[in-house]
Amino acid sequence: MSSATDTTAAPAFGLDRDEALTLYRRMRLIRRFEETVQLLFQRGEVPGTTHLYTGEEAVATGVSSTLGPQDRIAGTYRGHGHALSVGVDPQALLDEMLGRETGVCKGRAGSMNVIDLSHRLIGCFGIVGGSIAAATGAAIALKRSGGVAVAFFGEGATNQGYFHECLNFAKVLNLPVVYICENNLYGEFTPMELVTAGEIRKRAETLQLGAVTIDGNDIWTVRAAAGAAVERARAGEGPQFIEALTYRHVGHSRSDPGAYRKPGELDEWLKRDPLKLARAGIIERYDADDATVDEVDESVEQQIQEMIAAALAAPFPTPGPVAEFKS
Amino acid sequence: MPTLEFRDAIRQALDEALRDDERVIVFGEDIAVAGGVFVTTPGLYETYGEQRVFDTPISELAITGAAYGSAVCGLRPVIEIMFGDFLTLAMDSLVNQAAKFFYISGEQGSVPLVVRSAVGGGGRFGSIHSQQPGTWFQNVPGLKIVAPSSPADAKALLKASIEDDNPVLFLEHKRLYTVKQEVDTEETAVLGKAKVVREGHDVTLVSIMKGVQDCLAAATTLSELGIDAEVVDLRTLRPFDRETILESLAKTNRLVAVEEGPLTGGWAGEVLASAVEGGLHEIDDIWRLTTPDHPIPFSPPLEDAFLPGADAIVASVSERLGVGSQQQNARTRGG
Ligand SMILES: Cc1ncc(C[n+]2csc(CCOP(=O)(O)OP(=O)(O)O)c2C)c(N)n1
């Protein structure tokens, strides 16, 4: 692993057993949430399109676990995991996927564009790179209250003007923002190396941001790196950059079968499934065994089944006159 | 005559342009190896190779600016901006560079580039993957805007766009990609000429892209109610064919512009302005049927109510003409 600062040996960043299990539960919830969205999409209950976070759960979960109530995040169209990581109500999120009135945005936004201000989510951005600018601006506001802004985005977004302009902007203004590049190796169907020159982390280093490349599938590593970056940003040391290496286990969107994957690549990554690693980490570090973690899985399963029933029963919004502007 | 699907019409036009003119190059995000997110470019990379058909980074401004630069140096680039909503990122290059070049250079040269982009709602893609950006560009002199409604037109107008010496924004409605039609594959078209796609005497329905298909469907229903509708397909938003609009108005004396886009500032307003300015004495009634002035909703019942489909056209026309029993569904605005 290429890494400017080796964080793999870092401790669990001060978590007790229950907190660690809560973190695992959140990852499991994201995984099952995404599988549920896919299932309901195939059944025609989720309209339009979906971009799933399956396989990348450790990144958002780990990063958001280091944030406080005064902090904010900006996510992407692959944003269900980003949303759940900061505590967006899973039921309201699922209802949104189904276009229901009870959705977090009243069914107006859909899968790609979720916003939940009451849970620190300033937006999920359908435009590649949009989250980078939103978090940069959020940092200008949050600086007053000691808050930190976090942008999640894919490696493909680092070829957008948004990326280059905002990193420079944040550096010269010394903004408390942490940029989390979720490098899952592909932008849609195109392998990163065919469209990306040089090393991504070095782009941030050139602009003199604190920058590390980490194993994004290991929640403990992510937590350690993010915790350190957030602390530095909060302490006034300016913008920080983390490249989290990860992999989406599923297609880019909808029914993409992933024909562009290299042979055996998915199997290799499945061996390093973030949920498997988190489970192993819990058993290794705490007084817990497989049965302890299985219990968490079962409770998530029950929650998911209840959510599906409630979402399918939720009302659709009624068309009618709506306000163009806030009065 | 062979049957042609809209998306294949696009592919054929690109294929023939690449075949017939060495200067044509095609690039964009996921258009080469993957064959395009909307499956409009499969096989082109395999046939013409990576020098002429290539994938790019996710960099819309670079894609469009590079098209401009290559065009002023002798190539004829055809680029794809995947969703019309992403044209915002390409706008500077199109508006401030490509559209100005011919005029401000004192006509030293022109910018023969084509920007293809998928637009429109109805797919439950939400407010940032469903917009109609044509009107954002309509008041930019120097830029042609093409908006085909059928497979035959898609092929003929795309070929004409690539052969045109000016920058062209070529809009493809996502809901049309699977439309099939029997076509004469050698048909040609000129940019800037509207087309009467159905003759009638009682009312003129003016639209573009999917709206034309909706108007044709509405016209069939209206004929059962005793209303004989004429349907005008504008085909291009710029140049804007006022003559065809006025000719039709002179015949029917009633006109509705059906626009999938917000009421305020849309091209439908341009249709009505042209009618008033050039045909005031021909008018019994003119009005617009558009989407409301708010972003496009995701939820299916909201999006369905938002878009002006065939039923809404029938309801609106019958209400304005005082015919039939569909008044309660009327969605007439403005006028
Ligand atoms: C400006 C813009 N261009 C193109 C797209 C279409 N698109 C959606 S996701 C995507 C790939 C993005 O790749 P990456 O940034 O690596 O993130 P990932 O999807 O892999 O998480 C593309 C090209 C878009 N949404 N916005």
Side-chain angles (χ1 to χ4, degrees), chain B residues 205 209-219 258 260 308-311 313:
Chain B
L205 317 179
M209 296 194 278
K210 177 177 177 291
V212 174
Q213 302 289 346
D214 292 337
C215 286
L216 287 170
V258 180
E260 181 190 321
D311 291 348
I313 299 167

Side-chain angles (χ1 to χ4, degrees), chain A residues 46-49 51 77 96-101 106-113 124-128 156-157 159-162 165 187-190 194-196 254 316-320 322-324, chain B residues 29-31 33-38 55-62 82-83 85-89 123-129 175 264 292-306:
Chain A
V46 171
T49 187
H51 302 76
Y77 48 86
E96 185 66 31
M97 305 296 113
L98 276 73
R100 307 298 167 122
E101 174 71 27
K106 302 182 190 167
R108 293 180 183 183
S111 168
M112 288 193 272
N113 309 308
C124 291
F125 293 80
I127 293 292
V128 168
N159 294 321
Q160 280 284 6
Y162 270 131
E165 294 184 24
E188 288 192 343
F189 319 131
T190 300
L194 297 185
V195 287
T196 313
R254 292 214 251 187
F316 279 103
T318 327
V322 300
E324 181 186 357
Chain B
E29 295 162 18
D30 278 318
I31 62 102
V33 177
V37 165
F38 295 103
D55 288 320
T56 69
I58 309 170
S59 309
E60 284 78 11
L61 182 57
M82 192 184 296
F83 281 79
D85 313 71
F86 313 158
L87 283 165
T88 48
L89 296 160
R124 320 311 189 197
F125 288 129
S127 58
I128 301 155
H129 286 72
R175 300 289 101 202
T264 308
D293 275 329
H294 66 75
I296 301 163
F298 160 72
S299 183
L302 297 186
E303 192 182 32
D304 287 342
F306 181 84

